[in-house]
Amino acid sequence: MAGNSFGQLFRITTFGESHGEAIGVIIDGCPAGLPVDLEYIQGELDKRKPGQSKITTQRKESDTVKILSGTFEGKTTGTPIAMLIPNEDQRSKDYSHNVDVFRPSHADYTYQTKYGIRDHRGGGRSSARETAARVAAGALAKLLLKTQGIEIVAHVSSVGKIKAPNVSINDAQEFIEEREKNIVRCADPATAEEMIEFIDSVRKDGDTVGGKISCYVKNCPVGLGEPVFDKLHADLGKAMLSINAVHGFEFGSGFEGSEMRGSEHNDIFVKSHLGDVHTITNFSGGIQGGISNGMPIEFRVAFKPVATIMKNQATIDSQGNIAEISGKGRHDPCVVPRAVPIVEAMAALVLADHWLRNRNSKLS
């Protein structure tokens, strides 16, 4: 199975299945001498782990990460870093009824057809459990970016048709602290309460709902990204669309920009009294010609409703016979709150990779 690695200079390879012994990641290309804050890495994993609240899946995983290689005396050595996260609460019997049937909107049929074999226990490799490995790697990428003053923050900006108003970010840590005050991870408290109530009603109905995450990159320098195939927004799009359940990505003005005129949409450059160049508006989302322009990078990621619902559904089995899949097992009514650290992690991996590439593109 190819396609398990991501990045060029800051490169990760994830491994493991939902119901195997463990999942993990190997990080290659992280510069030597970076202090490794294990408490910070674990804190990022804690934001993604299941069982956090009544509006997330009740699978109980501590997601305790172990660093097996690539560090010495609390710092990276420049060699491959291996991180391991043991699985603790697999409950494979919850999936015994899925052995021979294809769950609607899951990867069962496509995996079976492509490989001739599939792990029916929670989807195996296709399970969102794999994203814990990405969060661990992304936390390390965040630590690297922090040395350059680059901060990445995200929050749940919509659930179903409930939308939060635009939020301003003056201080990244204050924004995160405000977001973490509620279980839905929305930075607007009033909207958060409405979202929580709605998700809980969906949960009680045995159903699921999707939503959007808005992400912001502060203090990104000018020059990250490449002008043709490796555009910064193209790599961000690939990263986000690789996350389970993601069905949409837009940056800057996004799809709404298609409804504007160029005279409205163009970001006018100005120079401040301090000599720095910026734009009056930011419809470009901080990226022009595939390269960061120094303005805040802004993008949004849309998640579909989780495919596992607690309702019986019609389907077929592996022989093509009509079958029914029962609503059984653990239930995640809305994955979006737990996806916030995943979006941040994938953004960090892209930016860390491009920062290293940019650093190497100039003569010192």
Side-chain angles (χ1 to χ4, degrees):
M1 181 187 288
N4 296 297
S5 300
F6 184 82
Q8 293 188 24
L9 296 189
F10 195 102
R11 186 171 178 82
I12 71 165
T13 300
T14 69
F15 61 89
E17 294 81 34
S18 176
H19 287 240
E21 290 295 318
I23 56 174
V25 61
I26 297 173
I27 306 164
D28 201 4
C30 184
L34 176 69
V36 178
D37 187 341
L38 187 57
E39 184 177 347
Y40 175 79
I41 295 172
Q42 188 61 58
E44 292 300 286
L45 282 164
D46 289 347
K47 294 171 186 174
R48 194 221 71 97
K49 71 180 182 181
Q52 295 180 41
S53 70
K54 64 182 180 179
I55 61 171
T56 65
T57 176
Q58 294 307 297
R59 178 169 176 168
K60 299 295 182 182
E61 295 284 353
S62 66
D63 280 354
T64 303
V65 64
K66 299 178 182 178
I67 299 180
L68 306 181
S69 66
T71 65
F72 179 68
E73 294 183 340
K75 294 183 178 180
T76 57
T77 61
T79 58
I81 300 166
M83 295 182 176
L84 191 72
I85 304 170
N87 289 327
E88 299 167 344
D89 187 23
Q90 294 96 325
R91 295 194 198 175
S92 298
K93 65 179 184 298
D94 284 355
Y95 300 90
S96 58
H97 62 301
N98 292 340
V99 174
D100 199 42
V101 295
F102 299 135
R103 295 171 296 169
S105 287
H106 284 78
D108 299 347
Y109 170 71
T110 52
Y111 265 55
Q112 183 70 44
T113 302
K114 182 176 177 66
Y115 300 106
I117 187 173
R118 68 180 174 91
D119 186 346
H120 68 274
R121 304 166 304 169
R125 185 71 177 146
S126 69
S127 169
R129 177 89 185 117
E130 178 269 344
T131 59
R134 305 187 193 199
V135 172
L140 192 69
K142 278 187 178 183
L143 291 173
L144 176 62
L145 294 171
K146 284 177 183 289
T147 67
Q148 306 303 307
I150 303 171
E151 299 275 5
I152 301 171
V153 295
H155 83 125
V156 174
S157 52
S158 73
V159 169
K161 296 181 179 180
I162 302 171
K163 298 179 181 179
N166 291 332
V167 294
S168 58
I169 305 171
N170 297 317
D171 181 272
Q173 188 56 41
E174 289 180 2
F175 179 85
I176 292 171
E177 290 173 0
E178 184 65 32
R179 177 196 76 191
E180 292 298 312
K181 288 180 180 178
N182 60 77
I183 58 177
V184 80
R185 291 200 168 92
C186 175
D188 182 70
T191 310
E193 289 303 314
E194 188 178 356
M195 289 175 174
I196 293 167
E197 184 178 346
F198 177 58
I199 295 172
D200 197 36
S201 69
V202 170
R203 177 187 65 82
K204 291 174 180 176
D205 195 37
D207 218 330
T208 60
V209 67
K212 295 178 184 175
I213 291 174
S214 295
C215 188
Y216 311 88
V217 183
K218 292 179 62 67
N219 307 320
C220 182
V222 180
L224 301 195
E226 307 296 335
V228 187
F229 296 113
D230 293 340
K231 290 178 168 66
L232 184 57
H233 62 275
D235 282 353
L236 284 169
K238 179 179 180 179
M240 299 307 147
L241 290 165
S242 75
I243 301 171
N244 304 60
V246 169
H247 271 214
F249 170 80
E250 60 178 1
F251 73 102
S253 61
F255 289 106
E256 290 186 5
S258 66
E259 302 172 3
M260 301 170 66
R261 296 190 178 194
S263 55
E264 299 174 279
H265 193 272
N266 286 348
D267 294 319
I268 306 302
F269 287 103
V270 294
K271 194 171 185 177
S272 75
H273 67 282
L274 297 176
D276 63 305
V277 175
H278 63 276
T279 58
I280 298 175
T281 54
N282 193 24
F283 293 120
S284 299
I287 304 171
Q288 293 171 326
I291 300 171
S292 60
N293 66 3
M295 292 291 287
I297 294 174
E298 302 177 359
F299 62 87
R300 291 161 299 285
V301 187
F303 288 77
K304 72 179 181 71
V306 175
T308 300
I309 63 176
M310 295 296 101
K311 297 175 180 287
N312 291 353
Q313 301 174 85
T315 186
I316 61 171
D317 62 22
S318 59
Q319 303 302 312
N321 301 311
I322 295 174
E324 184 178 72
I325 187 76
S326 61
K328 181 181 178 183
R330 290 171 291 204
H331 178 217
D332 202 342
C334 185
V335 75
V336 186
R338 290 201 301 128
V340 167
I342 305 170
V343 167
E344 290 182 352
M346 293 306 297
L349 291 169
V350 171
L351 288 162
D353 188 53
H354 276 281
W355 178 76
L356 287 171
R357 291 160 69 176
N358 194 57
R359 187 184 67 170
N360 294 346
S361 69
K362 300 177 182 178
L363 290 175
S364 57

